[in-house]
Amino acid sequence: MPDLKLIIGNRNYSSWSLRPWLALRRTGAAFEETLIALDQPDSKASILAHSAAGQVPILFHGGLRVWESLAICEYLAEAFPEAKLWPDDLEARSAARSVSCEMHAGFTALRSHMPMDLRNRYPGQGQGPGVEADIARIVEIWSECRATYGDSGEFLFGDFTIADAMFAPVVGRFHTYAVDLPPVAAAYRDAVWNCPEMRDWVSAGEQEPWVIEYSKK
């Protein structure tokens, strides 16, 4: 049995589960996965059985437990340095951490009006106060990172890093709501959307039976 275990929510809806799952897949380490369906009568109790925080995701590594998405990603970067989940260069690494934290803490309008729903398409929906500004800032981040640090590959800092994992749910949202993007941002969106790990996650999410109703007006 693998020494690593990740507790996640529904792939179709759980943006916070997607982020460390991608990072863990990029390490190449074998891991066990437990999915707890969200928005069910027993969901909270099932999650609390693993963590008093009452939220997914949760990582177990041997006897160690880490909860919260960005904390899990940081732990994986330290536990698997060969995976290079942060850029080697200090300046690039500082920028990658900054944009990851900005994603982690911000863009509340986008989250609220465009909830993640990977298997459906809602073109023209998801608009609301602050959404346009959030999209503009995300496009700015992607464009600046690609121009400044992305020469060695197709991701924000060339190779795939935690920064890409943090923005992966946004990529999913931009697909779901058919958000129009300028060429550089669109190319980056497609690179993340088509990477093997993201395709595996989306494919599995498309097969899930659960439906959570959100308002997308």
Side-chain angles (χ1 to χ4, degrees):
M1 179 178 294
D3 198 33
L4 286 155
K5 180 178 180 178
L6 187 65
I7 312 295
I8 62 172
N10 313 48
R11 290 179 182 85
N12 191 57
Y13 300 109
S14 183
S15 59
W16 293 108
S17 298
L18 169 59
R19 293 173 166 116
W21 187 91
L22 288 174
L24 184 49
R25 277 287 302 272
R26 295 296 293 198
T27 69
F31 65 97
E32 180 185 350
E33 182 182 296
T34 298
L35 188 151
I36 297 175
L38 305 177
D39 201 39
Q40 303 296 311
D42 61 345
S43 298
K44 195 68 171 181
S46 297
I47 296 170
L48 286 169
H50 296 285
S51 170
Q55 296 180 326
V56 290
I58 307 148
L59 176 73
F60 292 91
H61 192 185
L64 184 148
R65 179 176 58 189
V66 188
W67 61 99
E68 205 284 321
S69 294
L70 189 52
I72 294 172
C73 289
E74 285 279 14
Y75 174 79
L76 293 172
E78 293 186 7
F80 300 95
E82 68 281 359
K84 297 187 180 299
L85 291 174
W86 289 122
D88 287 332
D89 178 74
L90 177 61
E91 180 183 335
R93 188 164 65 251
S94 298
R97 279 198 164 102
S98 294
V99 299
S100 296
C101 289
E102 184 175 352
M103 178 69 255
H104 184 272
F107 307 109
T108 54
L110 182 76
R111 300 179 199 274
S112 176
H113 293 284
M114 293 185 175
M116 192 168 91
D117 186 350
L118 295 175
R119 66 172 169 250
N120 289 304
R121 298 293 177 267
Y122 303 109
Q125 297 188 45
Q127 300 303 311
V131 172
E132 186 175 345
D134 278 357
I135 292 171
R137 175 56 186 152
I138 289 166
V139 168
E140 181 180 36
I141 290 171
W142 290 1
S143 299
E144 289 183 353
C145 289
R146 290 290 300 138
T148 308
Y149 305 106
D151 286 348
S152 62
E154 57 187 351
F155 299 109
L156 293 180
F157 294 84
D159 294 330
F160 191 97
T161 69
I162 288 169
D164 302 296
M166 291 301 295
F167 280 100
V170 174
V171 166
R173 287 175 165 98
F174 285 176
H175 268 275
T176 297
Y177 299 93
V179 174
D180 187 41
L181 299 172
V184 171
Y188 171 70
R189 173 203 62 202
D190 293 345
V192 174
W193 185 252
N194 291 316
C195 76
E197 295 83 3
M198 188 71 169
R199 298 314 308 153
D200 287 348
W201 177 277
V202 172
S203 178
E206 289 173 345
Q207 306 305 313
E208 292 177 346
W210 307 285
V211 175
I212 299 176
E213 296 294 341
Y214 293 116
S215 173
K216 293 169 282 293
K217 301 298 185 183

